């Protein structure tokens, strides 16, 4: 097994063991860190930020995307096209 595959298996197993409150605490910490970094970096309003819509077991949160949007940033997320290529689309809260 490759090192990358072993590490991925370890991370996925660790994520599955987390409780709901542990996940929420992690997500809140990530949100705080990302928003703080954006403020410290003095990103201009309207700056484009690439992100992803996480699965329930993944780090990050839709709340983070919404907070970035509310802060005036353009949030883009990847989508898979029919031919399996990736593209980017603008993320808007509630599918606006």
């Amino acid at each position: 097994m490759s090192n990358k595959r072993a590490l991925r298996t370890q991370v996925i197993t660790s994520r599955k063991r987390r409780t709901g409150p542990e996940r929420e605490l992690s997500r809140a910490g990530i949100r705080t860190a990302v928003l703080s970094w954006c403020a410290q970096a003095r990103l201009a309003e309207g700056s484009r930020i690439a992100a992803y819509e996480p699965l329930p077991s993944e780090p990050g949160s839709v709340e983070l995307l919404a907070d970035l949007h509310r802060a005036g940033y353009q949030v883009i997320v990847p989508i898979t096209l029919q031919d399996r290529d990736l593209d980017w689309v603008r993320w808007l809260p509630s599918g606006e």
Side-chain angles (χ1 to χ4, degrees):
M1 184 182 294
S2 73
N3 288 341
K4 182 177 178 180
R5 183 177 290 168
L7 180 59
R8 182 174 294 184
T9 299
Q10 180 182 357
V11 167
I12 290 170
T13 300
S14 175
R15 283 183 190 161
K16 287 180 180 179
R17 289 185 182 140
R18 288 186 171 196
T19 65
E22 289 173 329
R23 284 187 182 129
E24 287 307 313
L25 186 61
S26 293
R27 287 182 178 130
I30 291 168
R31 238 180 8 258
T32 298
V34 169
L35 293 169
S36 175
W37 183 89
C38 290
Q40 289 175 359
R42 296 186 176 147
L43 294 182
E45 188 171 322
S47 293
R48 189 171 296 148
I49 297 178
Y52 66 95
E53 294 179 280
L55 297 172
S57 64
E58 292 180 322
S61 65
V62 174
E63 292 82 9
L64 170 59
L65 303 181
D67 286 347
L68 290 168
H69 177 78
R70 272 191 295 276
Y73 302 115
Q74 288 186 35
V75 179
I76 60 172
V77 295
I79 59 166
T80 304
L81 302 174
Q82 286 185 340
D83 63 2
R84 300 185 56 87
D85 276 350
L86 291 179
D87 201 357
W88 294 89
V89 297
R90 189 167 180 189
W91 183 91
L92 296 170
S94 304
E96 292 176 18

